[in-house]
Amino acid sequence: MVASQITPAFQIIGSNSTRLWGMDVAERTRRIATAAGLSPRQGGDAPALLVNAAFAFDPPWLRHIAAHPGLVLTLGGVPVLAHAIAAQDAQAVADAMARQRRLDSHGALQILAFEDGPTIENKALRKRETPFVTPLRPDTVRTIERASYFGAYKGVTDILTKYLWPEWALVLTRICARIGLTPNMVTTIGAVLCVLATWCFAEGRYWLGMALGLGFMVLDTVDGKLARCTITSSAWGNVFDHGMDLVHPPFWWWFWATGLVHWGLAYDTETFWWVQGVIQLGYWVQRAIEGVFMRQNGQMHIHVWRRFDSKFRLITARRNPNMVILFIATALGRPDVGLILVAWWTAISCLVHGIRLVQAWIVRSRGEPITSWLSDEGSIQR
């Protein structure tokens, strides 16, 4: 096996006592590297992935540099991250990092200057961006925490998560990190609020239910951001969080309908069953379409295929957009009409997803590749 095919071992060059999200540089780097499948460097092992302790960087950068042998990411000419194949290159980079100076000679190494605005695709978070790189000092901590928090946001999501929650969730994420709450603890608190909201809907206490649901929806953002910012994501946490997201909406819509009796707006039997039939069946069919699309297209999500799909994800009939409909309808004194509108919007959203799935089949039948518009928008700059 040639050196360029060997997974590099990581090494931190220098020291830095400044803490970020409650972690020092050594601990944060270790978590990021471990999550990327890297182990600590022993002696002069090569290839090596060198990390400059004077800087803070978004985790995607480490994975990107690790995947590109010979690549050096610099800020102001100073190496921040480097994947050195040869021992002599590793030593040259380490010396430059230790002195916080430019590389005197980079030979076969390729320089990627952060100032040039290189972009990389983050498939997990469905976006293309220039992840942050910043000198890590006490006066830059809050700026870096803000950058890492927003860096953990999905680029393609619903309208409330994208535009309404961020600032609230940032404050809560900082509080959770400071007091030592784990992402799973936050998910558990959110789960309790979710169950209480369900009970309120069944009792026709829609305003209290929506308030509790709001708390749950915000915490549903916080747990994921806390996990990514503190590098504490886990398989169980992912199952717990996404399992809650997947299972609870049908119960909310069912008990919203039964709670209408407390407002004197109960549906007749026929209306109840067609509304529930459309919502419940449409919800699972839409989820199934998304799953089929991912399996048939290399795990690429349907909402990142084309710009239209990403825009439609903002308003597609998922929990948050549906709650906007129900909020407005309840404010107008007609929670019954609100749920009927949710049923119609679910049917429309399901139809749109079905059409997109068929269109993907047609594209593949022509021998054309199915690729994300996020990947198409410019090549990765190296």
Side-chain angles (χ1 to χ4, degrees):
M1 181 179 291
V2 298
S4 62
Q5 296 175 320
I6 301 174
T7 301
F10 75 93
Q11 179 182 356
I12 304 170
I13 305 300
S15 60
N16 193 333
S17 61
T18 305
R19 302 180 75 83
L20 189 64
W21 294 111
M23 299 172 285
D24 59 24
V25 168
E27 177 61 18
R28 183 172 187 268
T29 301
R30 183 192 66 77
R31 292 185 186 183
I32 296 173
T34 299
L38 307 181
S39 57
R41 188 184 185 205
Q42 304 295 328
D45 292 349
L49 197 153
L50 305 177
V51 181
N52 193 333
F55 295 88
F57 56 87
D58 210 6
W61 273 127
L62 186 138
R63 294 190 293 271
H64 182 67
I65 300 300
H68 292 83
L71 188 61
V72 181
L73 175 66
T74 65
L75 180 61
V78 178
V80 177
L81 292 167
H83 184 164
I85 302 172
Q88 61 267 31
D89 290 335
Q91 187 59 52
V93 171
D95 289 343
M97 286 182 173
R99 299 178 183 180
Q100 299 304 310
R101 294 181 179 176
R102 294 173 177 268
L103 277 173
D104 293 331
S105 175
H106 49 80
L109 296 172
Q110 295 177 284
I111 302 299
L112 177 63
F114 180 77
E115 293 84 350
D116 291 340
T119 63
I120 59 178
E121 181 188 3
N122 188 327
K123 292 184 178 179
L125 296 181
R126 308 171 202 163
K127 60 184 175 180
R128 169 172 289 278
E129 62 177 351
T130 301
F132 75 86
V133 174
T134 309
L136 178 58
R137 305 184 303 265
D139 63 299
T140 63
V141 168
R142 288 188 68 82
T143 298
I144 295 171
E145 287 187 344
R146 186 178 181 85
S148 68
Y149 167 83
F150 281 99
Y153 245 87
K154 287 182 179 178
V156 178
T157 186
D158 68 85
I159 193 169
L160 295 185
T161 301
K162 192 174 183 70
Y163 298 112
L164 186 60
W165 298 167
E167 295 298 336
W168 303 357
L170 172 57
V171 173
L172 291 174
T173 302
R174 278 184 167 142
I175 292 173
C176 291
R178 297 295 186 270
I179 65 178
L181 281 182
T182 67
N184 286 346
M185 291 177 183
V186 175
T187 303
T188 300
I189 295 170
V192 172
L193 295 180
C194 179
V195 172
L196 291 174
T198 306
W199 177 81
C200 287
F201 295 151
E203 294 295 311
R205 302 184 181 188
Y206 296 128
W207 290 115
L208 178 57
M210 284 189 283
L212 293 168
L214 175 63
F216 163 61
M217 290 186 285
V218 174
L219 292 181
D220 187 37
T221 291
V222 171
D223 56 9
K225 304 306 168 290
L226 181 64
R228 294 188 183 103
C229 289
T230 58
I231 327 297
T232 52
S233 298
S234 66
W236 161 242
N238 188 60
V239 170
F240 187 14
D241 182 26
H242 288 84
M244 281 292 301
D245 289 347
L246 183 67
V247 171
H248 81 271
F251 290 95
W252 277 18
W253 316 142
W254 179 275
F255 287 109
W256 186 282
T258 62
L260 290 172
V261 67
H262 299 286
W263 283 55
L265 296 172
Y267 297 137
D268 58 58
T269 302
E270 182 179 351
T271 302
F272 177 90
W273 284 110
W274 84 254
V275 168
Q276 287 300 312
V278 171
I279 291 178
Q280 304 290 345
L281 182 61
Y283 175 78
W284 292 111
V285 168
Q286 184 170 298
R287 287 288 194 171
I289 290 172
E290 293 173 10
V292 170
F293 189 96
M294 291 180 69
R295 284 193 295 273
Q296 294 181 343
N297 297 287
Q299 295 304 303
M300 184 185 78
H301 205 285
I302 193 172
H303 296 131
V304 299
W305 181 19
R306 293 289 180 260
R307 285 180 181 271
F308 166 80
D309 303 299
S310 296
K311 295 296 184 183
F312 191 69
R313 176 63 180 89
L314 290 169
I315 58 173
T316 194
R318 291 280 192 89
R319 177 197 64 204
N320 290 359
N322 287 349
M323 288 305 295
V324 172
I325 295 173
L326 292 173
F327 176 86
I328 295 172
T330 303
L332 296 174
R334 294 306 303 266
D336 56 330
V337 174
L339 197 61
I340 290 173
L341 292 176
V342 167
W344 276 104
W345 185 233
T346 298
I348 293 170
S349 296
C350 194
L351 176 62
V352 170
H353 281 78
I355 291 172
R356 296 300 285 158
L357 181 63
V358 171
Q359 289 175 328
W361 290 343
I362 294 173
V363 170
R364 284 202 317 278
S365 70
R366 296 171 179 166
E368 301 174 17
I370 301 292
T371 58
S372 169
W373 71 274
L374 296 173
S375 298
D376 295 339
E377 192 163 292
S379 60
I380 294 178
Q381 299 181 42
R382 294 185 50 183

